[in-house]
Amino acid sequence: MAVGAAFGATIAASAAGGGYKMVRLIARVDRHRVTLDRAGGIRDAAPTMPTILLVDDEPIVREVVERYLRQDGFAVEVARDGDEALRRFSAARPDLVLLDLMLPGVDGLGVCRRIRAQSNVPVIMLTAKGDETDTIIGLGVGADDYVAKPFSPRELVARVKAVLRRAGAPSPVAEGDPLRFGALTIRPDQRRVELAGQAVELTAREFDLLVFLAAHPGQVFSRDELLDKVWDWAYASDGGTVTVHVRRLRQKIEADPERPRHVKTVWGVGYKFEP
């Protein structure tokens, strides 16, 4: 049995009559917890909860958020600066990254760029309230979502669950034949997009946005409707999140992003997909 790089073992024993009744090893192997009996046989196996990489230079933020995440059953890796975040990302292979924008060393934008160069794992930016420009830049370099400080830890955990749910959920259109629109091919069951036969790298949120719009050709959706349907979260307000994702999507799938063929703006209303 191949064992992953991350391997932890716990030995539990109970004394009875001067000896040990049992020895149990719990090993984390490929994101599963495997219990082995003394003879080495597997007794049970169950998937672990997702791992969250929490990156923030403020001790109180790290302490509170980590506690709330662990209370909900998440495994948590913690980093205090950008350099440590990149090391832990490579070692831990997290399912989601909570990334503060202002960090010592490599800042949050730099960390996000490097993560995006190697992975489409969901990234939620933690930003200072009112830093709209930095927020838009963060979304522009590939963050899936953002939360402004100060925030409620419970609401942050709910946002984490929503983003993970969207990232791992089946496509909103039925699995089956690919969707083809000229040179653009969308394969919902594989979460794959091709342009003229070449794979297009999309983040989880960009893919969800494209599939949702393509599943409703010609139908116009406001930014608030897209936030509700695609982001699966009741945002207070920020249509800029949708605007940035639409712009990034156009840059990846449109021959001329300034004159898009498929993802079109309906001025004063929202967006629609044209086959």
Side-chain angles (χ1 to χ4, degrees), residues 166 171-173 179 186 206-217 219 221-222 225-226 228-230 273:
R166 293 297 305 180
S171 166
V173 300
L179 305 175
I186 306 171
E206 290 164 356
F207 180 86
D208 290 339
L209 177 61
L210 175 60
V211 171
F212 180 80
L213 290 171
H216 304 85
Q219 186 172 345
F221 294 93
S222 70
E225 287 174 323
L226 290 172
D228 179 56
K229 300 294 186 182
V230 178
F273 184 90

Side-chain angles (χ1 to χ4, degrees), residues 28-243:
R28 182 179 175 195
V29 182
D30 294 332
R31 300 216 179 279
H32 284 74
R33 289 205 178 274
V34 181
T35 302
L36 301 98
D37 60 22
R38 197 168 185 174
I42 296 178
R43 292 176 56 188
D44 57 62
T48 63
M49 286 295 288
T51 297
I52 310 300
L53 174 58
L54 169 61
V55 187
D56 201 294
D57 63 333
E58 297 182 55
I60 187 63
V61 173
R62 294 195 305 269
E63 178 184 344
V64 173
V65 173
E66 180 180 7
R67 183 169 69 247
Y68 272 80
L69 287 169
R70 291 192 184 279
Q71 285 175 352
D72 263 73
F74 291 101
V76 183
E77 294 284 335
V78 177
R80 298 162 181 79
D81 57 48
D83 297 301
E84 185 180 9
L86 292 170
R87 291 194 299 271
R88 290 192 178 275
F89 180 83
S90 298
R93 297 180 300 164
D95 298 284
L96 183 143
V97 180
L98 286 172
L99 179 61
D100 187 28
L101 191 61
M102 303 299 293
L103 293 171
V106 182
D107 66 9
L109 295 177
V111 172
C112 189
R113 287 191 185 96
R114 297 190 193 184
I115 288 176
R116 277 290 164 263
Q118 58 183 297
S119 172
N120 282 328
V121 66
V123 176
I124 299 178
M125 282 282 194
L126 305 179
T127 69
K129 190 173 182 64
D131 287 348
E132 182 177 352
T133 300
D134 287 340
T135 297
I136 296 301
I137 294 174
L139 294 171
V141 299
D144 295 87
D145 204 347
Y146 79 93
V147 176
K149 296 180 179 179
F151 51 75
S152 160
R154 288 189 179 88
E155 290 181 1
L156 179 61
V157 172
R159 186 77 64 92
V160 166
K161 291 178 179 179
V163 171
L164 286 172
R165 186 164 58 247
R166 293 297 305 180
S171 166
V173 300
E175 296 184 3
D177 294 336
L179 305 175
R180 291 188 170 90
F181 309 96
L184 178 67
T185 301
I186 306 171
R187 304 182 186 277
D189 56 339
Q190 301 176 26
R191 295 188 67 85
R192 177 182 172 89
V193 174
E194 299 167 2
L195 190 62
Q198 300 297 313
V200 179
E201 292 296 327
L202 300 181
T203 67
R205 195 73 73 189
E206 290 164 356
F207 180 86
D208 290 339
L209 177 61
L210 175 60
V211 171
F212 180 80
L213 290 171
H216 304 85
Q219 186 172 345
V220 181
F221 294 93
S222 70
R223 291 174 177 82
D224 286 344
E225 287 174 323
L226 290 172
L227 285 171
D228 179 56
K229 300 294 186 182
V230 178
W231 273 253
D232 193 20
W233 183 259
Y235 278 64
S237 65
D238 194 356
T241 300
V242 177
T243 302

